[in-house]
Amino acid sequence: MKQISAFIKPVLNSYSVLFFSQNRVLGGILLLVSFFNPVSGFAGLGCVLLSLLITKLLKLTGEDHRTGIYSFNSLLLGIAFGAFFQVNLMFIIWTVVACCMVVIASIIISQRLSKQNLPMLSLPFILVFWLVLLTSNSIFNTGLLQKSSSLLQEIYTGPGNLAGAEGYLAAALPRLLSLFFRSLSAVLFQHHIIAGMLIAIGILVHSRIAFSLLVISFLAACGFNSISHTYPEGISYYHLGANLMMASMAIGSFFTIPSLRSYLLAVLCIPFGFVVINALTTLMAVHVLPIFSLPFCVINISLLYFLTLIGHRSTLLLTKVQHYSPERNLYHVLNLQNRLNDLKYIKLSLPFMGYWTVSQGYNGAITHKGEWGQALDFVITDDEQKTYQFPGTLPEHFYCFNKPVLACADGVVEQVVNHIEDNDIGEENLKENWGNTVVINHAPGLYSKLSHLKKNSIKVKPGDSVKQGDLLGFCGNSGRSPEPHLHFQLQATPYIGSKTLSYPFAYYFNKKGHQNSLESYAIPNENDVLCNFEVNASLKKAFDLQPGFVAKLSTETGVTEDWEVFKDAANQSYIYSKTTDAAAYFINNGTMFYFTSFYGDKTSLLYYFYLAAYKVIFNDAGYVQAGDDLPVPLTNNKILLWLQDFAAPFYRFISIKYKSGIQVKKTGLNVVSRQYQEIAGKTRPLSEATIFVEHGNLQAFIININNRHIEAQWSTEN
């Protein structure tokens, strides 16, 4: 069964990828519609099978083989052969020869353009079919006999007369709607309303965002033509579908993350398309060659290259991880943009033990000004918010004086000043402003500086390697410091006195009343009372899933799954279910465990564990809860989800929330979590789960979801 599925999947993907999709429904519809012209249908399918066989023989059976990247140009070639030429023996021979040429061209062009992170699109088909057309029109006999049709007239000459009706639908439907459907069918070299309607249904099933862009670009093209009168008889439905609409859909929803700006760029493609279509039509008319979808290729490759060049200066997000679904691309980015800080920042901890208070924050009123404003001053306060015990006339009276100062992260010591006297209370040393100081290099362009330390208390020297939490020295009152405190800042250069950088601490507790609030990759505010995060060793050990870790999950109903942990080429860890082919990517940063994405069967035990352990903090304080957002598509109300899909680039009204906490039991720890849906302020529960941890090992989990109660026992050999 798996072999049949492995064969069918790349075939259907070869069709669906024409519309930048991997949706099997859309692929099946396109396969069916291609047979509206039986010759094109058989030729297209034959070319797909031949190209897949060639790539398999060449051992190019990776992701590009499965997604149809090497075969969709062959599909276009076969369909074009059926649309342009009459069937005879030479038709079959030249189709096979041209198909081989397209596969070679696809491999060459894709490899060359991929170095610039650019797609090949339909360039291999265009170049090879141009050669075929030039060959068939040459003075030498190739045996290829060209057909004549209204569609070919459209392709060759551009504007055409659409007055001829197509049966009942052509007469009953409004002209614009009829033109819209014919434009979609033209991508497969057809001009049938019914074919366009089926394709529209397939695209709607695949993506509401892509469908909306097709409609918007179609209306924009018709509107622009009515203003410019570029085509007095109307725009060619071939160029509407294969160039203008496809170019807008691709750049607005596939190559960029859908947003208001991507939609505006998609609309901007329309006047660009008018220019490119007219210019290329004039140029290629010299050789009596149609331009096919070359304008679509030129527009998208040019815009993508431009966006790549301007990089971070662009307000458009390029799609870096391609899921072949505009919705999934968008929801994935929205879900992860605030969750993957572990991959964006060096993990910094607070440079002290116990609870300290921020006496002066960023852009403070005393000394944190201008380019030196992104700094923090820390002191220790009592219940009355005082920093000292009576009488407060000596440095020793202050709670923070002589307290340990720690390295906030691993690094190498760059500079040390250790000889400056501590000030009497109320006095300041303006000549040696920073006092006793340690500067540590954590990464290129990232240094921490800790100042006003106690004289001769520093335990490190330049060149020493330090680990996070290592003792550096003790808090003092040296430099510009009227009373003992610790000055902390991040900077881009190793010099004492460097300008400051805004940079967050990874995880810490912020004391609010009698409870601690967990802060994640945040910058403390003035008067916040902070302490470092305490890790529960048992929880940390239980979720320490290293590559090679294997486990067997079994339920009371007899369902079993075998899991193993791997790392991919990007060094990202994931759990793979050998039983269901599902995969769940995760991060364990030593402070918490959390999943980043899931792929595969949503009835598998791995999926239920993904929901249960979506985010687990390694702290057993009962008041600490992990809160997070789950991907929006997890909602089980498909009607609302479709409505959200249409609005998602501009506004999100659905959110899926997750909360988890730790219960301490006599036999171990329980991770208790729940997932709930919020729509317009109304909350509805989705699932509840409990994970059982004993002696630093995962034992079992229970989840209640969709009126089902599932219990899974966990056994492992390593």
Side-chain angles (χ1 to χ4, degrees):
M1 196 69 183
K2 284 187 176 181
Q3 291 180 341
I4 296 175
S5 177
F7 171 76
I8 294 176
K9 187 174 181 179
V11 173
L12 291 179
N13 287 343
S14 301
Y15 285 80
S16 60
V17 80
L18 292 177
F19 287 91
F20 305 98
S21 169
Q22 298 287 274
N23 186 282
R24 295 189 183 186
V25 174
L26 176 58
I29 288 175
L30 293 173
L31 174 59
L32 172 66
V33 167
S34 70
F35 279 88
F36 279 25
N37 180 337
V39 176
S40 289
F42 281 110
L45 181 58
C47 285
V48 168
L49 296 176
L50 178 58
S51 62
L52 291 175
L53 175 62
I54 293 171
T55 53
K56 187 172 183 179
L57 291 174
L58 294 174
K59 297 183 179 181
L60 300 172
T61 53
E63 188 66 19
D64 287 341
H65 174 86
R66 290 188 293 272
T67 56
I69 296 301
Y70 290 137
S71 49
F72 79 91
N73 274 283
S74 299
L75 168 62
L76 289 173
L77 178 84
I79 293 174
F81 256 87
F84 274 71
F85 300 112
Q86 298 178 22
V87 179
N88 56 26
L89 178 61
M90 298 310 300
F91 173 94
I92 298 173
I93 293 174
W94 289 118
T95 301
V96 172
V97 171
C99 182
C100 295
M101 294 174 65
V102 165
V103 173
I104 294 171
S106 296
I107 295 171
I108 294 172
I109 295 174
S110 65
Q111 292 297 322
R112 295 299 299 176
L113 289 179
S114 64
K115 294 181 179 180
Q116 301 292 330
N117 294 318
L118 297 173
M120 65 176 172
L121 302 178
S122 53
L123 287 176
F125 153 69
I126 296 169
L127 294 176
V128 171
F129 203 64
W130 273 351
L131 293 176
V132 171
L133 289 174
L134 289 171
T135 300
S136 67
N137 292 329
S138 71
I139 61 174
F140 303 103
N141 181 25
T142 60
L144 287 173
L145 303 176
Q146 288 197 28
K147 297 178 181 178
S148 61
S149 71
S150 59
L151 176 64
L152 299 187
Q153 184 69 14
E154 288 263 305
I155 296 173
Y156 273 100
T157 62
N161 184 2
L162 301 178
E166 185 193 329
Y168 171 77
L169 286 175
L173 292 177
R175 188 186 67 83
L176 279 180
L177 193 57
S178 174
L179 178 59
F180 176 78
F181 291 134
R182 287 187 175 180
S183 299
L184 286 180
S185 72
V187 177
L188 297 182
F189 295 99
Q190 297 185 22
H191 53 98
H192 300 299
I193 294 175
I194 295 176
M197 292 175 70
L198 290 173
I199 293 172
I201 292 171
I203 295 172
L204 186 60
V205 171
H206 154 61
S207 169
R208 276 59 61 196
I209 292 174
F211 182 83
S212 69
L213 276 168
L214 288 176
V215 174
I216 290 171
S217 59
F218 172 79
L219 295 175
C222 294
F224 186 78
N225 188 54
S226 66
I227 296 172
S228 64
H229 302 291
T230 305
Y231 307 112
E233 298 180 357
I235 311 173
S236 158
Y237 53 83
Y238 177 83
H239 290 315
L240 257 176
N243 286 306
L244 298 175
M245 293 164 63
M246 287 294 292
S248 295
M249 184 192 74
I251 199 66
S253 66
F254 183 77
F255 294 118
T256 62
I257 300 301
S259 64
L260 176 60
R261 290 184 176 90
S262 77
Y263 272 60
L264 293 175
L265 181 61
V267 173
L268 189 61
C269 285
I270 301 303
F272 289 175
F274 274 59
V275 173
V276 177
I277 289 170
N278 288 345
L280 290 177
T281 299
T282 303
L283 180 64
M284 301 312 298
V286 177
H287 303 286
V288 198
L289 289 176
I291 60 173
F292 294 119
S293 54
L294 185 59
F296 153 73
C297 297
V298 170
I299 292 169
N300 270 269
I301 292 175
S302 300
L303 287 175
L304 282 173
Y305 187 58
F306 169 73
L307 293 174
T308 303
L309 287 177
I310 62 175
H312 65 276
R313 289 169 290 181
S314 171
T315 53
L316 284 166
L317 288 177
L318 291 174
T319 305
K320 295 181 179 179
V321 179
Q322 188 55 258
H323 296 95
Y324 288 91
S325 165
E327 284 80 9
R328 187 155 188 176
N329 288 342
L330 173 59
Y331 292 138
H332 187 75
V333 168
L334 292 174
N335 185 241
L336 295 184
Q337 62 185 359
N338 295 320
R339 301 188 71 237
L340 293 185
N341 287 318
D342 288 291
L343 306 180
K344 300 176 185 176
Y345 299 105
I346 299 294
K347 185 182 171 187
L348 303 184
S349 63
L350 297 172
F352 45 72
M353 295 184 290
Y355 287 92
W356 290 56
T357 300
V358 180
S359 59
Q360 186 181 189
Y362 279 19
N363 302 307
I366 307 172
T367 55
H368 299 173
K369 302 287 188 181
E371 294 178 324
W372 293 267
Q374 284 72 49
L376 298 166
D377 287 342
F378 295 104
V379 297
I380 298 177
T381 58
D382 57 23
D383 293 339
E384 297 177 353
Q385 309 305 312
K386 291 183 178 180
T387 59
Y388 60 90
Q389 56 188 353
F390 187 80
T393 55
L394 298 173
E396 293 82 356
H397 296 162
F398 285 75
Y399 300 119
C400 68
F401 186 78
N402 208 34
K403 292 297 188 293
V405 174
L406 313 177
C408 65
D410 297 354
V412 177
V413 178
E414 286 284 338
Q415 293 205 46
V416 170
V417 175
N418 198 25
H419 66 278
I420 299 173
E421 296 288 342
D422 290 289
N423 303 321
D424 293 331
I425 300 303
E427 295 184 2
E428 298 180 60
N429 182 350
L430 300 181
K431 181 179 179 181
E432 298 164 305
N433 184 62
W434 298 107
N436 299 310
T437 295
V438 177
V439 178
I440 302 174
N441 178 14
H442 302 291
L446 183 67
Y447 300 80
S448 64
K449 182 168 77 71
L450 302 100
S451 297
H452 310 307
L453 303 186
K454 183 181 177 182
K455 180 183 179 181
N456 294 329
S457 73
I458 296 176
K459 307 300 182 182
V460 294
K461 63 184 183 298
D464 285 353
S465 295
V466 294
K467 294 291 186 181
Q468 188 176 64
D470 282 356
L471 177 66
L472 301 178
F474 295 89
C475 183
N477 195 38
S478 57
R480 187 177 179 181
S481 177
E483 67 174 62
H485 73 283
L486 172 64
H487 175 94
F488 176 86
Q489 70 181 51
L490 278 300
Q491 55 194 48
T493 56
Y495 311 112
I496 295 176
S498 295
K499 299 172 184 178
T500 56
L501 289 176
S502 176
Y503 207 89
F505 289 105
Y507 302 100
Y508 61 90
F509 283 136
N510 187 355
K511 188 175 183 180
K512 296 181 179 180
H514 298 290
Q515 291 191 346
N516 287 336
S517 171
L518 177 66
E519 303 290 347
S520 172
Y521 289 93
I523 296 170
N525 296 313
E526 199 162 299
N527 299 320
D528 283 352
V529 181
L530 317 174
C531 75
N532 271 313
F533 187 93
E534 295 184 10
V535 172
N536 179 285
S538 180
L539 275 173
K540 182 179 179 181
K541 179 176 179 291
F543 286 90
D544 186 20
L545 307 180
Q546 296 294 328
F549 177 90
V550 295
K552 180 183 287 292
L553 277 290
S554 57
T555 69
E556 56 186 3
T557 59
V559 176
T560 63
E561 284 187 24
D562 293 308
W563 298 355
E564 186 171 351
V565 176
F566 296 93
K567 279 197 174 184
D568 64 10
N571 205 34
Q572 300 301 306
S573 299
Y574 65 97
I575 305 172
Y576 174 69
S577 171
K578 299 178 181 178
T579 310
T580 65
D581 287 332
Y585 281 77
F586 67 87
I587 287 177
N588 185 333
N589 58 28
T591 303
M592 65 177 64
F593 172 98
Y594 61 97
F595 283 106
T596 58
S597 55
F598 177 87
Y599 305 94
D601 185 359
K602 291 188 178 179
T603 62
S604 66
L605 294 178
L606 181 56
Y607 178 69
Y608 296 137
F609 182 67
Y610 161 81
L611 294 179
Y614 189 67
K615 188 175 187 178
V616 178
I617 298 175
F618 303 152
N619 184 277
D620 58 5
Y623 51 78
V624 177
Q625 281 197 327
D628 213 330
D629 290 316
L630 286 152
V632 171
L634 294 184
T635 180
N636 50 23
N637 190 323
K638 297 306 178 185
I639 296 176
L640 280 177
L641 179 59
W642 273 38
L643 293 175
Q644 177 62 95
D645 290 344
F646 279 114
F650 321 106
Y651 174 71
R652 270 78 64 185
F653 59 85
I654 298 177
S655 60
I656 312 295
K657 299 294 185 181
Y658 171 93
K659 288 189 180 297
S660 72
I662 309 300
Q663 292 179 344
V664 180
K665 301 292 184 180
K666 291 182 179 179
T667 57
L669 300 167
N670 292 351
V671 180
V672 181
S673 65
R674 65 188 183 96
Q675 301 81 37
Y676 56 94
Q677 177 178 278
E678 288 186 352
I679 301 177
K682 295 183 179 180
T683 301
R684 187 172 69 85
L686 295 177
S687 64
E688 293 181 347
T690 303
I691 302 171
F692 301 92
V693 177
E694 294 182 12
H695 308 297
N697 294 303
L698 296 166
Q699 298 293 324
F701 74 89
I702 297 172
I703 188 169
N704 296 303
I705 183 172
N706 297 331
N707 298 319
R708 295 182 62 196
H709 177 79
I710 300 164
E711 297 184 20
Q713 298 295 321
W714 190 297
S715 61
T716 180
E717 298 177 358
N718 57 348

